[in-house]
Amino acid sequence: MNITKQQIDALNAVVKVAISKEDYQEKVDNILKDYRKQANIPGFRKGQVPIGLIKKQYGKAVLVDEVNKLLQDNLNKYLTEEKLDVLGNPLPKQQDNFDWDNEVLDFEFELGLAPNFDVQLKSKKAITHYKIVADKKMIDEQVDRIRKQYGKLVSKTEIGANDEVTGVFKNEAEEIENKTTIELDKIKSKKSINALVGKKVGDSISLSTKGLFKEDYLLSSSLGIDREKAEKLNIDVTFTIEEINEREAAELNQELFDKLFGKDNVKSEKELKEKIKEDSEKQFEQQADQKLLNDVTEKLIDDTKFDLPAEFLIKWIQLSGENPLTDDQAKEEYDKSEKGLRYQLIEGKIIKENDLQVQLEELKEFAKGFIKSQMAQYGHLDPKEEELENVANRVLGNQDEVKRLSEQLMSQKLLDLFKEKANLKVKEVSYDNFVKEVYG
């Protein structure tokens, strides 16, 4: 067998594979002999069918199968040994009137090659790295929410401005009938608040759905309909009152602190606020980090210039799916995926140049951290090491989970690298201002 490469240009090449009879004939003959031993053909005893008849019936199919195996194995081996960084997969060139009886079988494959380029992590223009702080207003609001959440309900006969009201929303035309509890301080419409205040159990009020709540998602849950329908809704609904309650705020005492954070972990209102600040900013850090990762990614794509073997990749996309695509469809798919492919190449180069690796032990520790945070959400704040080890081993026994966690850990390693080497400027903001700046 002879394999050679013809370089077309920096991004395209053709690999030629010449397979002679000695490369496959012995294997083909052995397979046909095995076929002969097992063949059941009328008029012949089992194992006594003439080999010529076996070759006539099965010879071509066995030949094609064995040659394709040789091609696949040796082409992959050649690409690895030659360290050719290919994009997509080799594409066989169409050969008209190919003759499988030739002494030498010649095949050609088109290759799309990855470009050579340099990556500069330190851009000329600094990228904003947000540090989100929990300000006094946010902390005080969180304390109020905690006191309200853990407070007790006091039944009332008449609705006040800060009460919780249970009742049924109804609109026959839209087939809406849903029992729910609404908090008046979450209603946006002043007209609706005025209509509700002073009403009693058994009263019915007509409310407009347009701009009813401060948060849009509350409308769909209150009416018992999907969000897409709720977003388009502009109707009047009847609300019939069944129950009125005032939520009496809980006292900030040791009993509440222990319920929230475990025994004696928090011992005063000051420590409560410090804990809220710490926990909030830890959550904010994840959002700020994701924003930074997105911004650095976009900057790297914009600043790192290189060409791709676009014509080859379009052809590969066109032919590699279950159903072949038209030229226009393949071009459209390429346009959609080009940016992602560019970053994939950039990221691969960064990982290689900075020797970023995911080791099994650190993956296990990463999995334990993830499991511990999940447990904390369900109130299990102090799991034993043995418990974490057992759960982590089960998780890492699933290859899909290993892949997912490995990708997350590598993203964290890349983020740490960007924080160390990219040109960043830290900007301290409140969460509200972060949302305004980032999301508009």
Side-chain angles (χ1 to χ4, degrees), residues 328-375:
D328 289 341
Q329 287 172 330
K331 176 68 166 60
E332 184 179 351
E333 287 300 313
Y334 172 75
D335 290 340
K336 287 179 188 174
S337 61
E338 182 187 1
K339 192 173 183 179
L341 175 57
R342 286 183 178 279
Y343 184 66
Q344 191 178 346
L345 291 169
I346 293 167
E347 185 184 83
K349 194 170 184 71
I350 292 170
I351 290 170
K352 184 177 180 181
E353 289 182 348
N354 292 277
D355 194 27
L356 301 182
Q357 299 177 30
V358 173
Q359 305 291 349
L360 179 59
E361 280 308 310
E362 63 180 349
L363 183 62
K364 182 181 281 190
E365 290 304 310
F366 183 75
K368 286 181 186 177
F370 178 77
I371 293 161
K372 194 172 182 179
S373 66
Q374 292 288 98
M375 287 180 168

Side-chain angles (χ1 to χ4, degrees), residues 22 36 41 61 65 69 80 82 93 140 149 154 219 287 313 322 343 347 367 372:
E22 56 260 30
R36 185 189 182 208
I41 296 178
D65 189 46
K69 287 179 185 176
T80 301
E82 295 295 314
K93 293 186 76 172
D140 289 342
Q149 181 181 348
V154 179
L219 183 63
Q287 289 180 264
L313 288 170
E322 288 185 17
Y343 184 66
E347 185 184 83
K372 194 172 182 179

Side-chain angles (χ1 to χ4, degrees), residues 147-156 162-166 181 183 243-250:
R147 293 187 66 196
K148 193 173 181 181
Q149 181 181 348
Y150 288 90
K152 62 180 180 179
L153 292 177
V154 179
S155 181
K156 293 181 64 178
N162 295 308
D163 292 342
E164 297 179 12
V165 185
T166 299
T181 298
E183 299 172 43
E243 187 179 340
I244 305 166
N245 291 297
E246 179 183 10
R247 191 171 286 272
E248 191 175 281

Side-chain angles (χ1 to χ4, degrees), residues 223-253:
L223 300 184
I225 59 177
D226 62 56
R227 291 190 67 170
E228 188 177 349
K229 181 178 179 180
E231 287 170 4
K232 300 174 183 176
L233 212 57
N234 184 10
I235 59 170
D236 289 335
V237 289
T238 300
F239 184 66
T240 302
I241 301 164
E242 294 187 351
E243 187 179 340
I244 305 166
N245 291 297
E246 179 183 10
R247 191 171 286 272
E248 191 175 281
E251 288 185 35
L252 294 176
N253 55 27

Side-chain angles (χ1 to χ4, degrees), residues 59-75:
K60 184 61 65 68
V62 172
L63 167 64
V64 171
D65 189 46
E66 286 307 306
V67 168
N68 279 330
K69 287 179 185 176
L70 276 172
L71 273 173
Q72 189 69 44
D73 292 344
N74 286 278
L75 185 57

